[in-house]
Amino acid sequence: MTAAGGDAGRGLVHDPLRGGTFRDAVRGMFQAALERLSADGVVRIAAEDLPGLVDQVRETADPKFGDYSGTMAMALAKRAGLKPRDMAIEIIRRLDGGDLFEPPTEPVGPGFINLRVREDALARAVVAALHDPRMGVAPVAEPETVVIDFGGPNVAKPMHVGHIRSTVIGDALARILRFRGHRVITDNHLGDWGTQFGMILWGWKHCRDDSRFTADPSAKPTAELTAELARLYRLVRKVADAKPEELARDPEAAALAARYPDTGREVLAETAKLHEGDPENRALWEQFMPFCRAEIDRIFSRLHVSFDHALGESFYQPMLAGVVAELMADPAVGARESRGAIGIFLGGEDAPPFLIRKADGAFLYSTTDLATLKWRMEHWKPDRILYVVDSRQGPHFEQLFATAKLWGCGDRHRIDGVELVHVAFGTVLGEDGKPFKTRAGDTVGLEALLDEGVERAGRMQHAGDKPQPADGRPQHDGDTTQHAAEGRPAMDAAEQRHVAEIVGMGAIKYADLSQNRTTDYVFSFDKMLQLTGNTAAYMQYAVARVEGIFSKGGIDRAALRQSTQGVSLSTPQERALALELMRFGEALEDVEIDYRPNVLTAWLYELAGCYSSFYDALPVLKAEGAERDSRLALCDLTGRILREGLELLGIGTVEKM
Ligand code: ARG
């Protein structure tokens, strides 16, 4: 078992004053109480049942019922033949709140056990977080090595909207797991060897347009060659597919299809020649590759996404024959021939095998993935590998993981000892609810999409739109002079472009990350650029607004942090904000349990709402003395946590909007 799943909370520091979460602390208390309950003979609880029961301790939805609530009395009562309420009383008797929680008194409803954090403990935890560069979030006690395989575009094929999801989700997970203290290795498994090269090679030989680029790579920017390759790819795909409706819309493709009726077969032959080491195709591939890679790097760097490695499929080519031989020799895997091809029979004779070599000798996507897995095990020795890939590849990963399990018997690398996870995601849909396409029916190019997002963000700035509170109420300001960010200070053109880039990119990323990853989502610029509701712009504005207070008040934040030795949480708004701030670590832990970044976006949105309620109800800059410092300290921590939270999602912030 790894840190994922129900065990994620344990092994952490249980003291919220040392970076543990209150939830860990309360779960630890319940665990001790349940152990005592079992030892006392009230109800027998097997050690392996404990984690599941303790995980039932959750944040309460309504503060009137305390801050955390345990529901296990109901299930345990059934086993012991007691009334749930009586079982709850037995548990409460054994619960020791220590100096973190108010002593629980009696169960609520059918047997809920509710606990409330002591105000002094909460205040001390806030001060500890204020002084902590990690804002009160301790690293996991048992860090793991986690490989995250994401991005993975097929080179020389233009990147499209579908590539956003893997890139954005994978990058957010990498940042979050790294922040949690894991050793994260990111690898961009580029498709740099696939059948698309057959199309490009065929196109290069039959219909390239030399006037669109120059053969001298140093003379012109790389974009011209890659643009020509992308044009060839699109054109040849139509010629090879020879679909009448597509050809009807494209006279150039139609003319080529008439002239070369056998293109489909010839394209396959070009790929096969490349794979067999044909010198001409190999040389062309080597000529194209640096340009293709530079083009991909350019787009990823525009997205502020970087990788530790981008080994790509071609890297594993020399290993494929050896892997097939090894899988055939390994009796536990039992790869064997069937009608000329070689496959692994995972589901018995009737189910389709996992093919690792075609009858014509060609290796497949599966063969490369097996070689990749073996290489990663040998070189990186990971505890976990996450594959952030479209859910439509589910069957491939099921077969890959099943094979890995059988293959674990080898002694040089223990493939069965690694946790393999397909972090699957749904499709990006257009506003018509169908897969997102351009009017002409092509997939939407990624670059054009990013440009449009940035351009629209820029237009929005000019229109002078202003965010409203999340609930749409007009804002009641405790102190209207605090709104440093609201005066819409003049920006020069360069600054405006910078802000538009951050807001536009942020909107696209956040819209994706705030969806439950497994569902399809509708791509809508109008929705994602809205300044109200759970959007990047709203969150970015919240940061600018919180932090604007410090410039407005001329306050040195570092000095404020240093000098703050206590905070006062006497109003419900201050207490609620403080408690929410202390849940940052819980939100990050919950992201990791199921690899869902939307858990973090939802929590950040809640935090922004909590802050709004605090700010609307209470004066900050106009407060006085210790009260002012205490509220400013809460503002400082809110700003830092919102900013860090967005950063962990790969989303930038600005000082002014
Ligand atoms: N290039 C693949 C595609 O576009 C994605 C690669 C995913 N990673 C992997 N190890 N299979 O479908």
Side-chain angles (χ1 to χ4, degrees), residues 149 152 154 189 191 313 365 369 387 389 393 397:
D149 176 325
N154 296 325
H189 192 69
E313 294 183 14
Y365 184 53
D369 252 331
Y387 296 83
V389 185
Q393 291 193 30
F397 286 106

Side-chain angles (χ1 to χ4, degrees), residues 62-75:
D62 185 339
K64 124 170 144 253
F65 298 119
D67 302 323
Y68 294 90
S69 181
T71 55
M72 69 287 283
M74 276 71 103

Side-chain angles (χ1 to χ4, degrees), residues 68 183 372-373 623:
Y68 294 90
R183 291 178 292 270
T372 306
L373 180 55

Side-chain angles (χ1 to χ4, degrees), residues 466-480 482-483 486 532 538 541-542 545-546 608-618:
K466 247 194 235 177
Q468 294 298 317
D471 55 9
R473 273 184 303 124
Q475 189 120 15
H476 152 67
D477 286 312
D479 179 348
T480 47
Q482 293 174 5
H483 289 258
E486 275 191 13
T532 54
Y538 173 74
Y541 188 74
R545 199 164 79 114
V546 180
C610 241
Y611 176 78
S612 275
S613 310
F614 157 90
Y615 182 68
D616 291 351
L618 305 169

Side-chain angles (χ1 to χ4, degrees), residues 34 37-38 41-54 56 71-84 87:
L34 294 180
L37 195 71
S38 182
V42 181
V43 58
R44 248 205 55 71
I45 304 171
E48 66 266 26
D49 287 348
L50 264 180
L53 290 167
V54 170
Q56 290 174 23
T71 55
M72 69 287 283
M74 276 71 103
L76 288 174
K78 218 182 228 163
R79 276 197 230 167
L82 287 177
K83 284 205 196 94
M87 178 57 82

